[in-house]
Amino acid sequence: MAVTTDLTAIAMRYADEVWNAQDLDAADDLFTPDHVYHDTLLPDLPRGPEGVRERRRVYLGAMPDARVTVHRIVADGELVAADWTYGGTNTGEIMGMPATGAAATITGSHFFRFEGRRIAETWTYPDTLGLLQQLGLVTIGPAG
């Protein structure tokens, strides 16, 4: 049970330190040197902590005041799952589109695979469509 608790605490450190405290150097302690990030919006991230930092810089540039709140986190062996909300104000470019100044809050989940006490692989599933809708960058309506 202690190993499971330790892994969930490490995943929480990722949310608290890298995202909320914007301590990008914390990625060196949390991720393996060959970590792989699976993010459909950023498919070409470098491996390792640098890819984690690059991903965070992209989202930080779009919503510098954004905060992550983890609601549930569970572990099964070397796998950890977390669901969260992410919200902030869009004051920078997002996905090649200019800032809107609008606030948005979305839900999503992360799945982590650990090697020892470091994250070796991450999959993320954010509500990107919901984010773009809230920012007024896409409109969904009846087919015409």
Side-chain angles (χ1 to χ4, degrees):
M1 188 64 127
V3 171
T4 298
T5 302
D6 290 348
L7 298 184
T8 60
I10 293 166
M12 284 299 300
R13 280 186 60 203
Y14 172 51
D16 292 338
E17 295 176 25
V18 175
W19 285 87
N20 292 335
Q22 299 179 17
D23 178 4
L24 302 186
D25 291 333
D28 292 323
D29 294 332
L30 301 171
F31 294 86
T32 62
D34 62 345
H35 171 268
V36 176
Y37 221 117
H38 301 278
D39 182 338
T40 57
L41 295 178
L42 299 168
D44 298 320
L45 291 170
R47 288 182 171 260
E50 187 51 42
V52 174
R53 283 189 285 273
E54 184 175 318
R55 182 176 184 274
R56 182 62 185 114
R57 281 190 289 266
V58 167
Y59 288 94
L60 184 61
M63 299 176 89
D65 67 342
R67 302 275 305 164
V68 172
T69 302
V70 176
H71 300 287
R72 282 170 293 279
I73 189 163
V74 295
D76 183 11
E78 67 179 12
L79 304 174
V80 173
D83 75 318
W84 43 261
T85 54
Y86 174 80
T89 308
N90 176 224
T91 59
E93 180 182 297
I94 183 167
M95 296 172 52
M97 295 176 267
T100 65
T105 300
I106 63 168
T107 58
S109 59
H110 267 59
F111 292 87
F112 304 100
R113 183 180 62 78
F114 280 77
E115 289 178 2
R117 298 182 49 78
R118 288 191 176 180
I119 302 167
E121 200 165 7
T122 305
W123 294 262
T124 184
Y125 303 97
D127 179 13
T128 305
L129 179 59
L131 175 67
L132 296 176
Q133 286 177 306
Q134 290 177 58
L135 297 180
L137 295 171
V138 297
T139 303
I140 304 293

